Amino acid sequence: MPRCGGVLRAAGAAGVPAAAIHGRWPDIAASVPIEPADVVVCHHVLYNVADLVPFVRALTTCAKERVVVELTDRHPRAGLAPLWQEIWGIHRPDGPDATAAAEVVREAGIEVVTESFEVPARPSRGRAAIVAGIRRHLCAGPERDGEIDRLLPGDFDTGRRSVTCLWWPGAAEG
Ligand SMILES: C[S@@+](CC[C@H](N)C(=O)[O-])C[C@H]1O[C@@H](n2cnc3c(N)ncnc32)[C@H](O)[C@@H]1O
Protein backbone atom coordinates (compact mmCIF):
# COMPACT_ATOMS: atom_id res chain seq x y z
CA MET A 1 0.00 0.00 0.00
CA PRO A 2 1.55 3.37 -0.95
CA ARG A 3 2.44 5.67 1.92
CA CYS A 4 0.16 8.59 1.01
CA GLY A 5 -2.24 8.74 3.99
CA GLY A 6 -0.02 11.22 5.83
CA VAL A 7 0.18 13.54 2.84
CA LEU A 8 -3.60 13.51 2.37
CA ARG A 9 -4.16 14.18 6.08
CA ALA A 10 -1.66 17.07 6.03
CA ALA A 11 -3.32 18.54 2.92
CA GLY A 12 -6.76 18.19 4.51
CA ALA A 13 -5.55 19.90 7.70
CA ALA A 14 -4.19 22.77 5.59
CA GLY A 15 -7.45 23.04 3.63
CA VAL A 16 -5.74 22.12 0.37
CA PRO A 17 -7.66 19.88 -2.06
CA ALA A 18 -5.71 16.65 -2.60
CA ALA A 19 -6.16 13.27 -4.23
CA ALA A 20 -4.02 10.13 -4.29
CA ILE A 21 -3.60 8.10 -7.45
CA HIS A 22 -2.09 4.69 -6.87
CA GLY A 23 0.40 3.39 -9.40
CA ARG A 24 3.98 3.36 -10.57
CA TRP A 25 5.37 6.58 -12.04
CA PRO A 26 5.80 7.15 -14.95
CA ASP A 27 3.69 4.16 -16.04
CA ILE A 28 0.51 5.89 -14.89
CA ALA A 29 1.48 9.39 -16.08
CA ALA A 30 -0.70 9.32 -19.19
CA SER A 31 -3.77 8.22 -17.27
CA VAL A 32 -3.50 10.78 -14.46
CA PRO A 33 -6.34 13.29 -14.88
CA ILE A 34 -4.52 16.33 -13.52
CA GLU A 35 -3.77 19.73 -14.98
CA PRO A 36 -0.11 20.75 -15.16
CA ALA A 37 0.99 22.27 -11.85
CA ASP A 38 3.10 25.36 -11.29
CA VAL A 39 5.52 23.29 -9.21
CA VAL A 40 5.86 19.51 -9.11
CA VAL A 41 7.51 18.02 -6.05
CA CYS A 42 8.87 14.53 -5.56
CA HIS A 43 9.86 13.72 -1.99
CA HIS A 44 12.31 10.87 -1.27
CA VAL A 45 11.18 8.56 -4.06
CA LEU A 46 14.13 8.38 -6.48
CA TYR A 47 15.97 5.70 -4.48
CA ASN A 48 14.01 2.80 -5.95
CA VAL A 49 13.64 4.18 -9.47
CA ALA A 50 15.72 2.00 -11.78
CA ASP A 51 15.38 4.26 -14.83
CA LEU A 52 15.62 7.88 -13.75
CA VAL A 53 15.32 9.56 -17.13
CA PRO A 54 11.72 8.62 -18.07
CA PHE A 55 10.75 9.26 -14.45
CA VAL A 56 12.07 12.83 -14.35
CA ARG A 57 10.98 13.62 -17.91
CA ALA A 58 7.39 12.71 -17.00
CA LEU A 59 7.63 14.98 -13.93
CA THR A 60 8.90 17.77 -16.17
CA THR A 61 5.93 17.54 -18.54
CA CYS A 62 3.57 18.03 -15.55
CA ALA A 63 5.24 21.23 -14.30
CA LYS A 64 4.76 24.71 -15.71
CA GLU A 65 7.44 26.44 -13.64
CA ARG A 66 9.62 24.03 -11.73
CA VAL A 67 10.27 20.45 -10.64
CA VAL A 68 11.72 19.98 -7.16
CA VAL A 69 13.04 16.57 -6.14
CA GLU A 70 14.37 15.97 -2.64
CA LEU A 71 16.53 13.03 -1.64
CA THR A 72 19.11 12.24 1.01
CA ASP A 73 22.72 12.92 0.01
CA ARG A 74 23.48 9.21 0.20
CA HIS A 75 21.06 6.37 -0.42
CA PRO A 76 19.19 5.89 2.87
CA ARG A 77 20.37 2.27 3.17
CA ALA A 78 24.01 2.93 2.22
CA GLY A 79 24.89 3.23 5.93
CA LEU A 80 23.90 -0.42 6.39
CA ALA A 81 26.68 -1.69 4.10
CA PRO A 82 29.01 -2.61 7.01
CA LEU A 83 26.19 -4.58 8.64
CA TRP A 84 25.48 -6.51 5.43
CA GLN A 85 29.15 -7.43 5.42
CA GLU A 86 29.17 -8.45 9.11
CA ILE A 87 25.84 -10.30 9.21
CA TRP A 88 25.80 -11.95 5.78
CA GLY A 89 29.29 -11.46 4.33
CA ILE A 90 27.73 -9.55 1.44
CA HIS A 91 29.42 -6.50 -0.03
CA ARG A 92 27.00 -3.63 -0.58
CA PRO A 93 27.81 -0.32 -2.31
CA ASP A 94 28.58 2.91 -0.50
CA GLY A 95 25.97 4.79 -2.58
CA PRO A 96 24.48 5.86 -4.87
CA ASP A 97 24.29 9.51 -3.92
CA ALA A 98 22.48 12.68 -4.91
CA THR A 99 25.43 13.82 -7.04
CA ALA A 100 25.05 10.71 -9.20
CA ALA A 101 21.30 11.34 -9.52
CA ALA A 102 21.97 14.92 -10.63
CA GLU A 103 24.50 13.72 -13.21
CA VAL A 104 21.96 11.32 -14.71
CA VAL A 105 19.37 14.10 -14.96
CA ARG A 106 21.95 16.43 -16.53
CA GLU A 107 23.00 13.80 -19.06
CA ALA A 108 19.35 13.69 -20.15
CA GLY A 109 19.72 17.35 -21.18
CA ILE A 110 17.91 18.83 -18.19
CA GLU A 111 19.54 21.88 -16.59
CA VAL A 112 19.44 20.75 -13.00
CA VAL A 113 20.44 22.90 -10.05
CA THR A 114 21.38 21.25 -6.75
CA GLU A 115 21.02 22.63 -3.26
CA SER A 116 22.14 20.69 -0.19
CA PHE A 117 21.16 21.32 3.40
CA GLU A 118 20.71 19.67 6.78
CA VAL A 119 17.30 18.77 8.15
CA PRO A 120 16.70 18.47 11.89
CA ALA A 121 17.03 15.09 13.53
CA ARG A 122 13.84 13.09 13.84
CA PRO A 123 12.67 12.18 17.32
CA SER A 124 14.33 8.89 18.23
CA ARG A 125 12.11 5.83 17.91
CA GLY A 126 14.04 4.16 20.70
CA ARG A 127 16.95 1.78 20.34
CA ALA A 128 14.89 -1.45 20.28
CA ALA A 129 12.66 -0.19 17.44
CA ILE A 130 15.69 1.06 15.49
CA VAL A 131 17.44 -2.30 15.83
CA ALA A 132 14.29 -4.22 14.85
CA GLY A 133 13.78 -1.99 11.79
CA ILE A 134 17.36 -2.48 10.65
CA ARG A 135 17.15 -6.22 11.25
CA ARG A 136 14.14 -6.35 8.89
CA HIS A 137 16.08 -4.37 6.25
CA LEU A 138 18.89 -6.88 6.65
CA CYS A 139 16.46 -9.80 6.18
CA ALA A 140 17.64 -11.29 9.48
CA GLY A 141 15.68 -12.85 12.32
CA PRO A 142 15.18 -11.39 15.82
CA GLU A 143 17.92 -13.69 17.13
CA ARG A 144 20.42 -11.31 15.46
CA ASP A 145 19.16 -8.22 17.36
CA GLY A 146 21.91 -8.34 20.01
CA GLU A 147 24.61 -8.56 17.37
CA ILE A 148 23.06 -5.72 15.33
CA ASP A 149 22.78 -3.60 18.48
CA ARG A 150 26.50 -4.08 19.19
CA LEU A 151 27.47 -3.25 15.60
CA LEU A 152 25.39 -0.06 15.34
CA PRO A 153 26.91 3.26 16.43
CA GLY A 154 25.30 4.56 19.61
CA ASP A 155 23.76 7.57 17.88
CA PHE A 156 22.50 5.72 14.79
CA ASP A 157 19.25 7.15 13.35
CA THR A 158 19.17 10.21 15.55
CA GLY A 159 21.61 12.54 13.84
CA ARG A 160 20.76 15.41 11.50
CA ARG A 161 20.26 14.29 7.92
CA SER A 162 21.95 15.78 4.88
CA VAL A 163 19.55 16.14 1.98
CA THR A 164 19.80 17.55 -1.52
CA CYS A 165 17.15 19.23 -3.63
CA LEU A 166 17.46 18.88 -7.38
CA TRP A 167 15.42 21.43 -9.27
CA TRP A 168 14.94 22.39 -12.89
CA PRO A 169 12.43 24.24 -15.08
CA GLY A 170 9.10 22.68 -15.97
CA ALA A 171 8.07 22.16 -19.58
CA ALA A 172 4.26 22.17 -19.46
CA GLU A 173 2.32 24.75 -21.45
CA GLY A 174 0.17 27.27 -19.66
C1 LIG B 1 10.79 6.67 1.24
S1 LIG B 1 9.11 6.59 0.71
C2 LIG B 1 8.71 8.31 0.67
C3 LIG B 1 7.23 8.55 0.74
C4 LIG B 1 6.79 10.02 0.75
N1 LIG B 1 7.04 10.64 -0.55
C5 LIG B 1 7.49 10.77 1.84
O1 LIG B 1 8.36 11.60 1.57
O2 LIG B 1 7.15 10.54 3.00
C6 LIG B 1 9.30 6.16 -1.00
C7 LIG B 1 7.99 5.85 -1.67
O3 LIG B 1 8.16 5.93 -3.07
C8 LIG B 1 7.36 4.94 -3.66
N2 LIG B 1 7.88 4.69 -5.02
C9 LIG B 1 9.08 4.20 -5.38
N3 LIG B 1 9.20 4.16 -6.72
C10 LIG B 1 8.03 4.64 -7.22
C11 LIG B 1 7.54 4.86 -8.54
N4 LIG B 1 8.27 4.53 -9.63
N5 LIG B 1 6.30 5.39 -8.68
C12 LIG B 1 5.57 5.72 -7.60
N6 LIG B 1 5.98 5.56 -6.32
C13 LIG B 1 7.20 5.01 -6.14
C14 LIG B 1 7.50 3.76 -2.72
O4 LIG B 1 6.43 2.86 -2.87
C15 LIG B 1 7.46 4.46 -1.37
O5 LIG B 1 6.14 4.55 -0.91
Side-chain angles (χ1 to χ4, degrees), residues 86-168:
E86 286 285 343
I87 301 284
W88 297 119
I90 293 174
H91 172 75
R92 300 275 292 176
D94 190 32
D97 60 17
T99 304
E103 278 167 16
V104 171
V105 178
R106 259 186 216 112
E107 280 172 14
I110 295 172
E111 288 186 32
V112 63
V113 179
T114 64
E115 211 170 308
S116 297
F117 51 94
E118 299 278 307
V119 295
R122 289 177 291 216
S124 175
R125 296 174 285 158
R127 185 75 175 180
I130 292 168
V131 169
I134 287 174
R135 178 238 303 156
R136 284 192 287 274
H137 284 303
L138 292 168
C139 307
E143 71 281 0
R144 310 297 291 263
D145 278 2
E147 197 179 349
I148 293 169
D149 193 16
R150 281 191 297 281
L151 290 166
L152 275 184
D155 62 352
F156 191 90
D157 206 41
T158 55
R160 293 166 68 85
R161 286 170 303 146
S162 303
V163 300
T164 293
C165 268
L166 316 181
W167 54 269
W168 61 89

Side-chain angles (χ1 to χ4, degrees), residues 39-63:
V39 177
V40 165
V41 296
C42 175
H43 196 247
H44 296 276
V45 174
L46 287 200
Y47 316 114
N48 290 328
V49 177
D51 197 352
L52 282 193
V53 172
F55 188 98
V56 299
R57 284 214 169 109
L59 294 178
T60 308
T61 60
C62 294

